[in-house]
């Protein structure tokens, strides 16, 4: 199974940008579709973005479309989430996840999860 470690979270002001990274180790990274999810304490986990194993297909939540961009570098075993025009409602713990079956917006299809990285956006 692939192991995932996120980084890049932090505290920023509304309108700022952040880039999250998720580095994978273990199984062949390029065989997995990857996703980014987020969770606010007390709320359900929310899908943010996903990318196919090749990078040729992406999916976004309505709340992130146009502001977030997911990408991957299979040579570096890393997936990224570029977040622009951040809003206070983007505040959450962000998790990356790996899916052997292909790109999906549903968390239950993901096989491996990272530990999460906190993103806080102040108004």
């Amino acid at each position: 199974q692939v192991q995932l470690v996120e980084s890049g979270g932090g505290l920023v002001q509304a309108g700022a940008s952040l880039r999250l990274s998720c580095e994978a180790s273990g199984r062949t990274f390029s065989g997995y579709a990857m996703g980014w999810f987020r969770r606010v304490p007390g709320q359900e986990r929310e899908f943010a973005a996903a990318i196919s194993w090749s990078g040729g297909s992406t999916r976004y939540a309505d709340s992130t479309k146009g502001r977030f961009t997911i990408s991957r570098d299979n040579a570096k075993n890393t997936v990224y989430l570029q977040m622009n025009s951040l809003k206070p409602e983007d505040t959450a713990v962000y998790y990356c996840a790996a899916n052997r079956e292909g790109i999906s917006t549903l968390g239950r299809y993901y096989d491996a999860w990272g530990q999460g990285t906190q993103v806080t956006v102040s108004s």
Side-chain angles (χ1 to χ4, degrees), residues 47-77:
F47 167 75
I51 189 167
S52 62
W53 68 269
S54 69
S57 181
T58 57
R59 301 282 189 274
Y60 294 95
D62 288 344
S63 58
T64 63
K65 195 175 301 181
R67 299 186 300 122
F68 291 11
T69 302
I70 189 170
S71 62
R72 66 189 297 160
D73 185 339
N74 286 343
K76 295 182 178 180
N77 289 353

Side-chain angles (χ1 to χ4, degrees), residues 15-81:
S17 298
L18 275 177
R19 188 176 80 157
L20 305 183
S21 299
C22 173
E23 185 171 358
S25 61
R27 293 295 190 101
T28 305
F29 175 70
S30 60
Y32 289 81
M34 300 296 295
W36 284 97
F37 293 78
R38 62 188 185 184
R39 176 172 276 166
V40 175
Q43 296 186 17
E44 294 287 324
R45 181 178 59 201
E46 178 187 27
F47 167 75
I51 189 167
S52 62
W53 68 269
S54 69
S57 181
T58 57
R59 301 282 189 274
Y60 294 95
D62 288 344
S63 58
T64 63
K65 195 175 301 181
R67 299 186 300 122
F68 291 11
T69 302
I70 189 170
S71 62
R72 66 189 297 160
D73 185 339
N74 286 343
K76 295 182 178 180
N77 289 353
T78 302
V79 62
Y80 305 97
L81 186 68

